[in-house]
Amino acid sequence: MIDALTSLPEIVASLGGGAFGAAFGPLPAFVFTGFMVIAGEAAILVGGPDYAQITNAIAFGPAFSPAVSFGGGVAATAYAAKKGYMDGFEYDYHQAKNIAQALGTKPDVLFVGAGFGLLGWWMQVAFDTLALPYDPIAMGVVLSAIFHRLILGYSIIGKVRGSGILDMSPFEREERRPATDGGERVTDSETPKGGDAIVPEQEETADSSASARLKVEPWLGHQYKWAHVATLGAFVGILGGWVSIVTGRAFLGFGISAASLLFLNLGIEKVPVTHHITLPAGTAALAVMADGDAVVAGLGEGPALLVALVFGVICALFGELFQRVFYAHGDTHVDPPAAAIVFGTFLVAIMYFAGVFPDASWVPTF
């Protein structure tokens, strides 16, 4: 592990990858990773395992791994927001959550991205070397976000303003926090219903009480209702399972889901986020189709698709639970899909250890 952690080429590459995520923005960097995964998995299917380095060393390597480029970009966004570099209230959310925005070339922002890129790579290497039973990249993304909140002075969870930590109803009522409670002050008449807040040009009076920022900020305003999330998880879980079954590759569905976020980055409304569904669902489908001595060893395609459906629902709902606890009340982006992938892959490993699944697919098992 020490050799892996101190490899100079990989250290330098991860510094560059973190700065890349900061310069281009976390979401654009992640979309780029998605296209690299598609290219790598397609090359493996056409040319064989000799082409696995495109996925392993490039898409998931020290330069473009989500733990590096996405995690570094998220930390840089949080830093840029604290320094006042971000544009106005584009989403009615704290600007540290604006992961679609490229941050450009400010040296201090790039250095923050680079530093967290290296931190993300070190975590990924450590988890992978120890063969801990979950996705090491996704865990690196989650912990990187927790660390940037601690290091940059943000609250881990934030202030709960609804009736409870899982309550999203203030968002549905479009309630906005007072100007003295964490938001930029505007007047009621200048905050259009359901739209972006308009910051007035004239000086505001001391008793202005409305804020541009919503009281509760769900990760996705079009993807947070439990029934909707579960339904999406079921159907996308089937798709993720099918892609894995017919190709024998667990990561192709993930790459397709990640690349599809290009449309969300371009501003197309209501594009769902699904990579935390396709990856665990596809992994579970491959795990139960393997031959071996287990309760469900060597299932056929139909039962494997049902397993994928179940994992899709579970991981979609876990992602929603995670966002309600760690995202909706906080000030920066903590990634619900990464947390759901950690949970889903850990569940695959648990099923393997318990003798229910005959295999754990690619998930490390010590």
Side-chain angles (χ1 to χ4, degrees), residues 278-304:
T278 50
L279 181 55
T283 301
L286 292 181
V288 300
M289 291 188 69
D291 293 329
D293 184 15
V295 174
V296 293
L299 290 182
E301 291 182 357

Side-chain angles (χ1 to χ4, degrees), residues 27 220 222 260-272:
L27 185 55
L220 294 169
H222 60 277
S260 73
L261 296 181
L262 173 65
F263 301 108
L264 187 64
N265 207 149
L266 292 174
I268 299 176
E269 296 181 356
K270 299 184 179 181
V271 173

Side-chain angles (χ1 to χ4, degrees), residues 160-245:
V160 177
R161 295 174 175 85
S163 62
I165 198 166
L166 303 183
D167 180 20
M168 297 293 104
S169 63
F171 170 77
E172 296 171 345
R173 296 190 294 270
E174 299 183 2
E175 295 178 4
R176 300 181 183 271
R177 62 189 70 190
T180 56
D181 188 23
E184 192 170 315
R185 187 181 298 150
V186 296
T187 64
D188 288 332
S189 62
E190 291 161 329
T191 306
K193 181 177 178 63
D196 293 342
I198 301 173
V199 180
E201 295 182 359
Q202 70 273 20
E203 184 176 353
E204 298 168 349
T205 60
D207 61 350
S208 295
S209 60
S211 164
R213 190 175 170 192
L214 294 163
K215 280 186 176 181
V216 175
E217 302 164 342
W219 165 52
L220 294 169
H222 60 277
Q223 186 177 324
Y224 73 93
K225 295 182 179 180
W226 294 111
H228 296 192
V229 169
T231 304
L232 178 71
F235 286 113
V236 174
I238 293 171
L239 294 178
W242 176 251
V243 170
S244 292
I245 289 169

